Amino acid sequence: MTTIVWFRQDLRLADNPALAEAFANGPVLPVYIVETPEQAADSHPMTGASHWWLHHSLKALDATLGALGGRLVVMEGPAETALERAVAQSGATAIHWNRCYEPHAIARDKHLKTRFSADGLSARSFNASLLHEPWDVETKTGGPFKVYSPFWRAALTRPVAAPLPRPSGRLVSPDGLGRPLDSFGLTPSKPDWAAGWLDLWQPGEAGASALLGTFLEEGLKGYGELRNRPDLPNVSRLSPHLHFGEISPRQVWAATRLYTDMHPALAKDGEKFLSEIGWREFAYHLLYHFPTLPAKNWKPAFDAYPWRESEADLKAWQRGMTGYPMVDAGMRELWATGYMHNRVRMLVASFLIKHLRLDWRHGEAWFRDTLLDADLANNSASWQWVAGSGADAAPYFRIFAPVGQGQKFDPDGVYVRRWCPELARLPNEFLHAPFEAPDRVLKAAGVVLGKTYPRPIVDHAAARAAALAGYEAVKEAGGVAAE
Ligand code: FAD
């Protein structure tokens, strides 16, 4: 009895319930389907950087399956047609997949389950991406949580299933089914903006588990405090691996708990780290219960905010040319590596929304295109958090000062010097505010404002006042009373 295992955001063998159950029933046909946004009816598709990661992750999965004597069959969408073809050519009697929680994926999967079940196939789905299903964590009255802390407290009372071991079994792949991975054009060529990324990242299950091991050994100690420092290596950088399911949160949970059991002095840092996995769970909880989260203000009163439109300011932000070094360093790190440190993500997002008064959806779209960990739930929940329009969001009046944030979280200027090398010779005193440096200091450092590095595109104090004035409209619409 052959089972098709349809891989999606679960590109791993270990702790993969869809695969484990399938192997228990007989041979497995492993399939990945590349759908266009139109085929998937996906209004917020993952594109640029995500495609690069996907290509390399599928390659790694194919190699792992190769070691078991099989191959990954990569097919073009739409999913329904591809699965029909796979069933016809393999004689499969069952299809398994692990659940996705994006609204378009839920609608598609529901339809496919009904459709293939009607044909007499066993169509089954499993949880591989979350510690707890979004509908399993409930308030006392049975509804969804809207605030993180009680959500996480409730989640912590539930047992976390132990991760499944890596399964093995017989793999099948009918001749002529699928296309070579390279033919899908997922990696960039002209220009190849991802050149060198394989030196920075190791997509795939092996890379994910090695990275978790390194993080626990070298980064966990002090995580509670040092995770705020973009100049230090105290975050895990597991986010793209988690997004593509090369490692599961259950595996992260079990490995972290095991490690802190062996090193009790790190218990607090371990819990802090797991509470960040908790923010991921909360974002999925929100997206599941409020599926308009990526598109609409969660607090409708924020619809009244008087956004500006400025193509020039948006471009300056995207290119890391705002004249505020900490903001520019973050945006350049993102472009150069497909990643940005969380502390800097909060700052650049606040800068776009509050200093430039550009709609958070512009930022969400740019991050979705350029982040390797672009994730509909985390990205939209985080953008709305910064905007103040989201569930349990930052207060609208919290406007990060880009100079102060730089001085606080990059005190020695290591991060800014790395990503804004044209400022490298400025003394620390002026590094985060070159526009305040006397002419002789600028000259000695080889900085010519407006030429080698931009002047600030907005004045902080004036921008702050304008942002707060803009929120008056939201207040009038009744939007900030709860804060
Ligand atoms: P670590 O500190 O090592 O955390 C471990 C894991 O916990 C992360 O890999 C991630 O899965 C999860 N996590 C940590 N912080 C958060 C958070 N605030 N919200 C949700 N999950 C979290 N994260 C994404 O994975 N994809 C996104 O598209 C994304 N967009 C963001 C946009 C903005 C504006 C902001 C402010 C944050 C965004 N985040 C996003 C959340 C967070 O910045 C990243 O998850 C984190 O920086 C990833 O780095 P890390 O793996 O080293 O984190």
Side-chain angles (χ1 to χ4, degrees), residues 53 201 237-246 338-339 372-374:
W53 190 285
W201 302 100
R237 298 170 73 94
L238 277 170
S239 46
H241 298 281
L242 277 162
H243 170 76
F244 286 95
E246 299 164 355
Y339 175 89
L372 287 166
D373 63 27

Side-chain angles (χ1 to χ4, degrees), residues 401-449:
V403 174
Q405 290 281 303
Q407 288 162 342
K408 186 166 177 194
F409 296 113
D410 183 30
D412 305 319
V414 172
Y415 182 73
V416 160
R417 286 197 174 86
R418 173 153 187 222
W419 296 112
C420 302
E422 69 272 39
L423 301 176
R425 287 162 53 208
L426 276 178
N428 283 354
E429 193 188 348
F430 297 108
L431 185 67
H432 291 289
F435 47 89
E436 285 174 1
D439 285 346
R440 62 179 165 73
V441 173
L442 290 172
K443 202 167 171 207
V447 176
V448 184
L449 289 180

Side-chain angles (χ1 to χ4, degrees), residues 211-227 233-236 238 252-253 255-277:
L211 192 58
L212 175 60
T214 309
F215 169 70
L216 292 175
E217 286 288 336
E218 296 171 13
L220 184 62
K221 189 168 181 223
Y223 175 84
E225 277 294 311
L226 304 179
R227 73 192 180 91
N234 287 86
V235 287
S236 72
L238 277 170
V252 173
W253 178 275
T256 306
R257 281 277 165 91
L258 181 67
Y259 193 82
T260 55
D261 283 350
M262 287 175 347
H263 303 86
L266 301 188
K268 243 180 139 183
D269 288 322
E271 287 312 301
K272 184 70 196 165
F273 176 58
L274 292 177
S275 76
E276 296 302 320
I277 301 289

Side-chain angles (χ1 to χ4, degrees), residues 42-46 101-104 283-284 286-298 359-365 368 375-384 389-390:
D42 184 357
S43 56
H44 287 71
M46 304 298 153
Y101 302 89
E102 293 77 14
H104 75 276
Y284 275 81
L286 290 176
L287 180 63
Y288 177 77
H289 289 288
F290 307 100
T292 57
L293 191 72
K296 291 194 179 159
N297 287 312
W298 191 80
D359 192 324
W360 61 265
R361 282 157 281 221
H362 289 301
E364 186 278 336
R368 185 153 37 83
D375 181 283
L376 193 66
N378 283 355
N379 202 30
S380 39
S382 298
W383 275 96
Q384 292 229 37
S389 59

Side-chain angles (χ1 to χ4, degrees), residues 96-333:
H96 287 183
W97 62 76
N98 293 309
R99 284 188 272 280
C100 295
Y101 302 89
E102 293 77 14
H104 75 276
I106 292 178
R108 177 197 59 198
D109 294 352
K110 262 191 189 156
H111 164 72
L112 292 177
K113 212 175 229 183
T114 312
R115 188 233 170 281
F116 285 109
S117 302
D119 276 2
L121 272 88
S122 160
R124 295 181 60 198
S125 64
F126 303 82
N127 171 18
S129 300
L130 295 172
L131 297 173
H132 308 290
E133 294 288 15
W135 50 87
D136 280 343
V137 185
E138 289 180 326
T139 61
K140 287 207 174 83
T141 52
F145 282 94
K146 297 173 185 171
V147 178
Y148 167 78
S149 300
F151 165 82
W152 190 233
R153 270 199 304 275
L156 286 173
T157 63
R158 303 180 64 84
V160 173
L164 301 168
R166 188 180 173 131
S168 63
R170 195 159 80 79
L171 293 168
V172 292
S173 51
D175 286 346
L177 193 62
R179 266 172 44 192
L181 177 59
D182 286 339
S183 71
F184 286 92
L186 294 171
T187 49
S189 51
K190 287 178 197 156
D192 180 5
W193 39 257
W197 279 10
L198 283 176
D199 297 333
L200 301 176
W201 302 100
Q202 189 192 343
E205 191 171 5
S209 109
L211 192 58
L212 175 60
T214 309
F215 169 70
L216 292 175
E217 286 288 336
E218 296 171 13
L220 184 62
K221 189 168 181 223
Y223 175 84
E225 277 294 311
L226 304 179
R227 73 192 180 91
N228 285 312
R229 292 277 301 270
D231 55 333
L232 298 178
N234 287 86
V235 287
S236 72
R237 298 170 73 94
L238 277 170
S239 46
H241 298 281
L242 277 162
H243 170 76
F244 286 95
E246 299 164 355
I247 193 163
S248 74
R250 288 188 292 250
Q251 290 173 300
V252 173
W253 178 275
T256 306
R257 281 277 165 91
L258 181 67
Y259 193 82
T260 55
D261 283 350
M262 287 175 347
H263 303 86
L266 301 188
K268 243 180 139 183
D269 288 322
E271 287 312 301
K272 184 70 196 165
F273 176 58
L274 292 177
S275 76
E276 296 302 320
I277 301 289
W279 274 101
R280 178 178 182 274
E281 296 274 313
F282 184 53
Y284 275 81
H285 182 80
L286 290 176
L287 180 63
Y288 177 77
H289 289 288
F290 307 100
T292 57
L293 191 72
K296 291 194 179 159
N297 287 312
W298 191 80
K299 289 179 187 156
F302 278 70
D303 293 349
Y305 193 86
W307 299 115
R308 289 170 65 237
E309 279 296 334
S310 166
E311 196 56 34
D313 285 357
L314 181 61
K315 283 242 142 54
W317 177 80
Q318 290 171 339
R319 292 178 181 161
M321 296 294 278
T322 68
Y324 286 97
M326 195 66 172
V327 174
D328 293 342
M331 297 309 292
R332 295 181 196 186
E333 179 188 24

